[in-house]
Amino acid sequence: MLVLHYTGMTSGPEALARLCDEQSKVSSHYLVEEDGRVFRLVPEERRAWHAGVSFWKGESDINGRSIGIEIVNPGHEFGYRAFPAAQIAAVIELVADIRTRWSIEDSRILGHSDVAPGRKIDPGELFPWKQLAQAGHGLWVEPDAAPGLPLSEGEEGAGVFALQAGFTRLGYDCAPSGKYDAQTTSVVQAFQRHWRQEQVDGVADGMTRARLIALLRAAA
């Protein structure tokens, strides 16, 4: 799989230095600067330490199953901002190039927040997932209908169970219990950062659920 991150540091050079520092115990296969420059840091066939404690579709050793791309952006802590056009163009080109060498399904092109909800929020709600998918990489859907009342933390019942089952089927760590707990809220927020970017509040409104259903169909 491919896992996209933002660096979450004050500058690109600072992030590059950290990724190249053995003492930091963190690494990624690539770093993409804001001006579009691409740095190859770890060979694709080697493990890089970028995902940390993570999970997707029953797999927990994400570092051993993924290629990590760090995208220079100060992140939410240091002044989160839109990703420049040159940078996104470079990311799209890089992803396309990587996929010529590896068999990576669109449903396995993910954000760090997808594989580590509640712990990570990058690359965040400003990353243009729709643009990436329109270029042929990743999933994106635009469902027509968005029926139903919102579900939120504290609620219980069959609707919550079905929601959790849907997230589990897509790949998230969200075992169905029928109780909308803090873990479910974190998963909903992660999903929204990727596929419902105009609303990142952890509330599963009708559009959030409609997009989940449409994505399950697209990934089938």
Side-chain angles (χ1 to χ4, degrees):
M1 65 178 67
L2 276 170
V3 179
L4 276 56
H5 310 252
Y6 65 39
T7 53
M9 301 183 74
T10 57
S11 71
E14 180 185 8
L16 181 61
R18 184 166 186 263
L19 289 167
C20 293
D21 181 2
E22 292 182 3
Q23 300 304 313
S24 72
K25 297 183 179 180
V26 62
S27 57
S28 69
H29 296 88
Y30 294 96
L31 173 76
V32 182
E33 255 288 9
E34 290 188 295
D35 60 7
R37 286 176 294 153
V38 177
F39 297 84
R40 182 180 180 183
L41 306 178
V42 177
E44 291 173 357
E45 67 275 9
R46 300 294 296 275
R47 176 190 294 265
W49 300 95
H50 61 95
V53 178
S54 48
F55 178 97
W56 192 256
K57 279 205 167 183
E59 299 172 351
S60 57
D61 182 19
I62 302 302
N63 282 329
R65 293 173 165 84
S66 64
I67 293 172
I69 301 175
E70 289 278 357
I71 304 165
V72 173
N73 188 291
H76 292 78
E77 185 176 357
F78 298 109
Y80 190 44
R81 56 179 179 247
F83 297 81
Q87 186 180 42
I88 295 305
V91 169
I92 291 172
E93 184 177 352
L94 175 60
V95 170
D97 182 53
I98 292 170
R99 294 182 88 189
T100 66
R101 292 182 290 278
W102 301 89
S103 177
I104 302 174
E105 297 176 3
D106 285 323
S107 60
R108 290 169 69 87
I109 298 176
L110 304 162
H112 199 185
S113 56
D114 292 313
V115 299
R119 191 175 69 83
K120 293 294 183 179
I121 59 175
D122 58 305
E125 62 278 3
L126 296 181
F127 184 79
W129 290 106
K130 181 178 180 179
Q131 183 181 347
L132 184 65
Q134 288 174 334
H137 310 292
L139 295 177
W140 190 266
V141 293
E142 294 287 354
D144 295 326
L149 296 174
L151 296 171
S152 58
E153 191 165 337
E155 296 191 50
E156 299 183 14
V160 176
F161 189 95
L163 176 73
Q164 294 167 327
F167 283 126
T168 299
R169 182 180 161 198
L170 187 62
Y172 289 98
D173 187 3
C174 193
S177 67
K179 297 181 180 181
Y180 204 121
D181 55 10
Q183 170 68 9
T184 304
T185 296
S186 295
V187 168
V188 172
Q189 288 176 324
F191 178 88
Q192 290 172 330
R193 284 193 174 92
H194 192 146
W195 287 290
R196 177 93 164 97
Q197 295 177 309
E198 64 277 16
Q199 177 179 315
V200 183
D201 58 5
V203 175
D205 66 333
M207 181 56 77
T208 297
R209 298 201 302 277
R211 287 192 174 168
L212 173 59
I213 293 168
L215 280 165
L216 289 172
R217 290 171 178 162

